[in-house]
């Protein structure tokens, strides 16, 4: 009975995931050269198998295509983002797609793992999307990662409300 239930569960997952994956692959095939689309699809498959969100990866590939980036550069950017999504998940633990995406963006900008952990500690059990996005924005605007992290941790831990972070 358990064996049958396992196969039924896998079949349901395949039915739900396959259309989304096919839609993503179709967009990639339409916008990327065949070699780049194949390499990006392999990264997506790997991410999907390890439970990472693929939407940010597809978006990164499509962004590169929109900007006219060469295939190897698109593949490198998607691969780097996949790696940072893995690091983000390792540091944050269970997290939403938007939290992992914001954390990966922060890592790409130079935020350290310890900075992500500090934000997680300031917001234990609460949503991290806004604090992580604010952290990434601050660093993108040139605020040193240490100073940005301290400010976000202070605001995130103080009121615990996203409004204070957004106003900042």
């Amino acid at each position: 009975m358990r064996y049958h239930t396992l196969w039924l569960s896998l079949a349901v997952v395949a039915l739900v995931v396959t259309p989304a994956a096919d839609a993503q692959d179709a967009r990639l095939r339409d916008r990327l050269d065949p070699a780049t689309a194949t390499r990006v699809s392999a990264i997506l498959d790997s991410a999907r198998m390890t439970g990472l969100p693929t939407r940010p990866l597809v978006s990164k590939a499509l962004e590169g295509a929109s900007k006219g980036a060469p295939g190897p550069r698109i593949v490198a950017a998607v691969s780097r983002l996949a790696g940072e999504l893995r690091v983000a998940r390792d540091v944050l633990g269970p997290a939403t797609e938007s939290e992992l995406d914001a954390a990966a963006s922060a890592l790409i900008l130079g935020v350290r793992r310890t900075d992500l952990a500090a934000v997680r500690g300031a917001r234990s059990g609460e949503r991290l999307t806004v604090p992580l996005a604010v952290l990434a924005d601050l660093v993108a605007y040139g605020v040193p990662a240490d100073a940005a992290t301290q400010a976000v941790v202070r605001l995130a831990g103080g009121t615990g409300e996203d409004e204070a972070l957004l106003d900042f």
Side-chain angles (χ1 to χ4, degrees):
M1 183 69 172
R2 291 177 67 195
Y3 183 74
H4 177 69
T5 304
L6 173 65
W7 280 108
L8 181 60
S9 297
L10 290 174
V12 169
V13 168
L15 288 173
V16 171
V17 172
T18 301
D22 288 344
Q24 290 174 348
D25 289 343
R27 289 189 302 161
L28 294 174
R29 281 191 306 271
D30 291 345
R31 305 269 312 275
L32 301 174
D33 65 82
T36 302
T38 298
R39 292 178 66 197
V40 169
S41 291
I43 296 167
L44 292 173
D45 290 343
S46 175
R48 198 177 293 115
M49 290 179 64
T50 59
L52 290 174
T54 57
R55 189 170 15 153
L57 301 171
V58 170
S59 294
K60 180 60 78 175
L62 295 175
E63 175 187 359
S66 294
K67 292 180 177 179
R73 187 169 174 194
I74 292 170
V75 171
V78 172
S79 180
R80 180 171 185 203
L81 179 57
E84 299 299 10
L85 286 167
R86 282 184 193 88
V87 170
R89 184 181 57 195
D90 289 347
V91 173
L92 300 179
T96 66
E97 178 180 310
S98 62
E99 290 169 328
L100 291 176
D101 193 16
S105 296
L107 288 166
I108 287 170
L109 290 166
V111 171
R112 298 178 316 252
R113 296 171 75 123
T114 55
D115 298 328
L116 295 182
V119 173
R120 165 57 81 197
R123 274 276 177 103
S124 178
E126 295 182 45
R127 299 275 303 201
L128 298 173
T129 305
V130 171
L132 292 169
V134 169
L135 176 60
D137 284 348
L138 289 171
V139 174
Y141 286 123
V143 177
D146 290 341
T149 300
Q150 289 174 6
V152 168
V153 166
R154 188 172 53 253
L155 289 170
T159 64
E161 293 185 21
D162 289 342
E163 296 303 318
L165 287 159
L166 293 171
D167 289 342
F168 180 68

